[in-house]
Amino acid sequence: MPEIKSIQPALLNDTANFVVEDVTYVLINDTVRVSNFSLKQVSDNVASIEYVVTPDMTDIITDIKLMRADDAVLTQSAVYVPVTDTVISKHIITVKEGA
């Protein structure tokens, strides 16, 4: 039955852990590489990745890519974030079973 969930929480959590480990750096505006994360954690099948962007890195964020070690793009987001002070950027990825 499609409405009955079959994937166990342990597998969802393991998958979220894989996501966190697969992200090795962030590429901002196709030029600024951030690989120093202030947070990479998993809790209840939710992957959280957090890092800091400062004004000396860029004055505006228009594109954010989460990247794998082999330079494959895992996620890409078009954004508009002025960087006049330190920006704490956080990505939250929830792993769940589809219907």
Side-chain angles (χ1 to χ4, degrees), residues 25-37 51-67 83:
Y25 69 98
V26 178
L27 191 60
I28 297 172
N29 302 339
D30 290 321
T31 59
V32 178
R33 184 179 173 134
V34 179
S35 55
N36 186 18
F37 297 98
Y51 54 92
V52 172
V53 180
T54 61
D56 60 318
M57 298 164 82
T58 187
D59 60 346
I60 190 166
I61 303 170
T62 57
D63 185 72
I64 300 173
K65 294 179 179 126
L66 297 182
M67 305 292 291
V83 183

Side-chain angles (χ1 to χ4, degrees), residues 18-97:
F18 174 80
V19 170
V20 163
E21 294 305 316
D22 207 26
V23 175
T24 56
Y25 69 98
V26 178
L27 191 60
I28 297 172
N29 302 339
D30 290 321
T31 59
V32 178
R33 184 179 173 134
V34 179
S35 55
N36 186 18
F37 297 98
S38 50
L39 175 73
K40 283 180 86 173
Q41 75 175 22
V42 172
S43 179
D44 297 326
N45 64 296
V46 177
S48 299
I49 299 169
E50 187 176 283
Y51 54 92
V52 172
V53 180
T54 61
D56 60 318
M57 298 164 82
T58 187
D59 60 346
I60 190 166
I61 303 170
T62 57
D63 185 72
I64 300 173
K65 294 179 179 126
L66 297 182
M67 305 292 291
R68 199 167 57 195
D70 65 358
D71 299 325
V73 177
L74 300 172
T75 69
Q76 181 174 7
S77 300
V79 298
Y80 182 84
V81 181
V83 183
T84 58
D85 202 353
T86 299
V87 171
I88 299 172
S89 184
K90 187 171 187 177
H91 300 263
I92 299 172
I93 303 166
T94 303
V95 177
K96 61 183 179 178
E97 184 173 358

